[in-house]
Amino acid sequence: MQHFSTLNKIFEEQFIKTTFPAHPKNLYDACNYFLKLGGKRIRPVCVLMSNELFDNIDPDAFEVANAVELFHNFTLIHDDIMDKAPLRRGRETVHIKYNEATALLAGDVMIVKAYDCINKIKTARLKKILALFNKTAREVCEGQQLDMDFEKMEEVNFDNYLHMITLKTSVLLAASLQMGAVLGGAGLGNQQHIFEFGKKLGIAFQVQDDYLDALGDPEKFGKKLGGDILANKKTFLLIHAMEALSPAGQIELKKLLKHNDASKVEKVIALYHECKAGEWATALKEKYFNEALEHLEDIAVTSSRKKDLEALALFLMQRES
């Protein structure tokens, strides 16, 4: 992970120089406030790492990485409004600290700034990068809408949930890697493999996230377990339990989802253990993780150049918080 950390630091040093106008003050203060909350910066650094997989890092890669991170922050601000979330990374969300209207505008102006960054790259690459960025942005929005639609549905099957997660979570990571590959001069076959590597890795990451929220170690996870259960969120675990439990267990689970009493989390987790949802989720995570590594292996560059992306993938899968 040393190389990721090095590139992360390089990216961060230039990204914090992202500037907004002084006025209107409330709008741009909100933008600066949110960007300074930090984050892992995984997606923008993946642009740089993928670029470097095929060639030396091009200055255009930093503009694309900036655009990716600005777009990601735009989605987080708007997601927080939709989720009525009070906190982000331990601090007040923008709509709480300022107001909902300002938060909407702050997200809007971030995506405008993202396009400003893309507009700075070399003309020969602009059409390909812009088309991929726009496709990804649209798919992320589609995924968010599906996620909200699923909240109103009593049951969601595995394939539909997987499709939603792919759009909402995975495609931005996958596209970040593909855009870096484009800037590195990769052929279409290598671009497809790096995209699939990111997509499968993103799915594996979400399976793990769902698992940790319900079945992780609360001390390592850093927060109380069962947030998804209390919110009645559709997760890989819940969908599996709905399919794998006995008829009596399914009835009990459906009843629990309709109420938020003090023992709800404990009872739902007990049902997850009953149908071995944890073991199933672990196997599912390994499946997608291994498929991701197969696509990385199939990229036509020397194995030594792939080590840093492989190390990043392993790091993401070993997280416990």
Side-chain angles (χ1 to χ4, degrees):
M1 279 301 294
Q2 184 176 358
H3 192 61
F4 174 84
S5 299
T6 301
L7 286 180
N8 190 297
K9 184 177 179 183
I10 294 169
F11 171 77
E12 189 71 34
E13 286 174 351
Q14 62 83 42
F15 184 69
I16 59 174
K17 297 175 184 175
T18 300
T19 56
F20 294 95
H23 302 287
K25 188 175 186 303
N26 283 343
L27 172 60
Y28 294 118
D29 279 356
C31 293
N32 289 323
Y33 165 77
F34 195 75
L35 292 184
K36 287 176 182 175
L37 292 182
K40 296 181 178 71
R41 313 295 196 205
I42 290 169
R43 296 159 191 82
V45 176
C46 278
V47 175
L48 305 179
M49 294 181 76
S50 182
N51 182 186
E52 195 176 44
L53 179 65
F54 299 99
D55 201 352
N56 294 328
I57 295 178
D58 188 292
D60 281 353
F62 284 95
E63 297 299 345
V64 174
N66 289 340
V68 165
E69 186 63 9
L70 285 163
F71 173 78
H72 180 56
N73 279 273
F74 145 75
T75 66
L76 296 181
I77 290 175
H78 283 204
D79 285 358
D80 285 343
I81 296 170
M82 288 180 252
D83 294 341
K84 297 178 172 56
L87 297 174
R88 166 73 63 176
R89 297 166 188 152
R91 302 278 299 279
E92 284 183 315
T93 46
V94 176
H95 67 279
I96 295 295
K97 184 174 177 64
Y98 296 87
N99 56 66
E100 192 169 299
T102 295
L104 285 169
L105 288 171
D108 293 345
V109 84
M110 278 189 194
I111 198 166
V112 172
K113 185 75 171 176
Y115 281 106
D116 283 342
C117 293
I118 290 176
N119 199 41
K120 294 175 184 176
I121 70 175
K122 295 182 182 71
T123 304
R125 299 157 166 170
L126 184 58
K127 188 174 181 180
K128 174 75 175 178
I129 294 294
L130 189 59
L132 183 52
F133 186 85
N134 284 344
K135 176 178 179 290
T136 305
R138 183 182 70 250
E139 289 176 339
V140 171
C141 292
E142 290 170 356
Q144 176 65 14
Q145 182 62 56
L146 288 173
D147 194 20
M148 293 189 296
D149 291 347
F150 289 173
E151 290 176 7
K152 301 170 187 174
M153 297 166 61
E154 188 170 301
E155 292 187 32
V156 174
N157 67 34
F158 176 87
D159 289 340
N160 287 338
Y161 182 74
L162 180 63
H163 176 62
M164 181 274 289
I165 285 300
T166 300
L167 294 177
K168 183 179 176 181
T169 302
S170 294
V171 294
L172 185 55
L173 178 63
S176 298
L177 288 159
Q178 186 178 353
M179 286 188 281
V182 169
L183 297 177
L188 290 178
N190 281 340
Q191 286 182 39
Q192 187 60 34
H193 280 307
I194 198 71
F195 181 90
E196 289 296 323
F197 165 71
K199 186 177 84 171
K200 297 295 175 68
L201 186 61
I203 295 170
F205 185 88
Q206 185 62 51
V207 175
Q208 179 167 256
D209 200 59
D210 288 357
Y211 174 94
L212 289 173
D213 185 85
L215 302 173
D217 183 332
E219 289 189 11
K220 293 179 180 177
F221 192 45
K223 59 183 179 181
K224 195 173 181 180
L225 297 181
D228 289 345
I229 293 170
L230 289 172
N232 289 335
K233 288 189 69 172
K234 305 298 186 293
T235 66
F236 281 108
L237 294 171
L238 178 64
I239 290 166
H240 175 72
M242 284 292 192
E243 296 175 351
L245 282 167
S246 65
Q250 292 177 23
I251 291 170
E252 183 182 354
L253 182 56
K254 288 176 182 178
K255 285 180 180 177
L256 287 168
L257 294 177
K258 293 177 180 177
H259 304 284
N260 270 359
D261 60 51
S263 62
K264 176 178 179 176
V265 171
E266 182 182 342
K267 289 177 179 177
V268 171
I269 289 175
L271 290 171
Y272 286 169
H273 285 303
E274 181 180 317
C275 66
K276 293 182 167 47
E279 291 89 335
W280 173 85
T282 299
L284 186 68
K285 179 188 79 170
E286 290 298 323
K287 171 185 179 293
Y288 284 110
F289 178 66
N290 289 331
E291 288 178 5
L293 292 184
E294 287 173 11
H295 281 288
L296 184 62
E297 179 63 28
D298 288 342
I299 294 171
V301 300
T302 58
S303 296
S304 60
R305 297 183 74 94
K306 305 173 189 178
K307 293 298 182 185
D308 293 322
L309 280 170
E310 185 178 346
L312 174 62
L314 287 166
F315 170 76
L316 292 175
M317 290 301 98
Q318 290 168 355
R319 66 185 270 270
E320 297 180 302
S321 63

